[in-house]
Amino acid sequence: MKNLISIIIPVYRGNPVYFNKTIESCLNQTYDYVEVIIIDNGCNDALQDTLSELNTKENVTVVKNSKSGVCSGRNLGVKTAKGDYIMFLDADDWIESNACEILLNHAVEAEADCVICNYSRDYSDHSEKMLHYIRDTMYKGWKDYLKDLLNVQAGVGFCWGKLIKASTIENVLLNEELSLAEDAEYCARASQNWNVIVGDEHPLVHYIFNDQSAVRKFD
């Protein structure tokens, strides 16, 4: 039996153009056993028709979140997911068509609990590949990974950009009281359940650089 991958995407007042590309990238994977879980965190009217249409697809589930915030959305997504592996993705980012296939193959070969990939930072006029993992990397353990996580510039403390074995995080929730650095805080706790953590050299996630994001506005 093939492993099912659950891609969890919380969306709140999303940009329809970006969001459509996000969903399209997930639905057009070279690996077939993928379910997409969209958490409606209070979408604007421009996205409601899109969500209704997506909810009719066999491998897409749209869940209305009664709470607010990306953390509660991701937590609800994990509780809803049926997959053997979990991927988080933001509603304005997208993944390469072979992302699931590459990450799953690496996870199976290395018997890894978490595989972390490189990513591209996409600006309005150009793209930069963020190649932290020049070659495939195997961490010595979660404490070794934590050293990388504490180096913010390494970019390994995000929830996205990872394929995570679902059984390792079923009892690990994001802190819904945090509105900044919630990714890193969550990964620091979740990684303690990861016996094998590997880095993959392929830049598989496209992070859309947004000047108006919470991180950019934080002083």
Side-chain angles (χ1 to χ4, degrees), residues 9 18-26 89-93:
I9 309 171
Y18 290 149
F19 181 65
N20 288 337
K21 187 167 185 176
T22 300
I23 299 302
E24 183 180 344
S25 73
C26 296
L89 190 63
D90 289 348
D92 54 356
D93 300 336

Side-chain angles (χ1 to χ4, degrees), residues 29-140:
Q29 287 294 298
T30 56
Y31 184 76
D32 293 331
Y33 292 86
V34 173
E35 69 166 358
V36 179
I37 300 175
I38 303 169
I39 306 300
D40 181 354
N41 272 349
C43 294
N44 49 24
D45 293 339
L47 283 181
Q48 289 304 321
D49 289 343
T50 300
L51 292 181
S52 297
E53 181 180 349
L54 287 170
N55 206 24
T56 63
K57 295 183 179 294
E58 184 178 357
N59 59 337
V60 177
T61 301
V62 179
V63 182
K64 183 72 174 179
N65 189 10
S66 59
K67 298 181 181 180
S68 61
V70 66
C71 290
S72 67
R74 286 172 176 160
N75 288 338
L76 180 57
V78 171
K79 294 174 183 176
T80 305
K82 300 176 182 177
D84 304 287
Y85 290 87
I86 300 290
M87 288 181 65
F88 295 107
L89 190 63
D90 289 348
D92 54 356
D93 300 336
W94 59 281
I95 55 177
E96 293 287 341
S97 61
N98 57 354
C100 290
E101 182 177 6
I102 288 177
L103 293 176
L104 181 61
N105 285 341
H106 201 159
V108 172
E109 290 172 3
E111 298 183 349
D113 297 313
C114 179
V115 182
I116 311 168
C117 66
N118 286 322
Y119 69 99
S120 294
R121 184 180 287 178
D122 291 1
Y123 299 87
S124 59
D125 58 350
H126 71 286
S127 179
E128 296 178 3
K129 291 182 178 179
M130 312 302 289
L131 302 177
H132 178 66
Y133 301 112
I134 305 301
R135 296 176 299 277
D136 291 348
T137 303
M138 180 171 289
Y139 288 99
K140 297 177 182 178

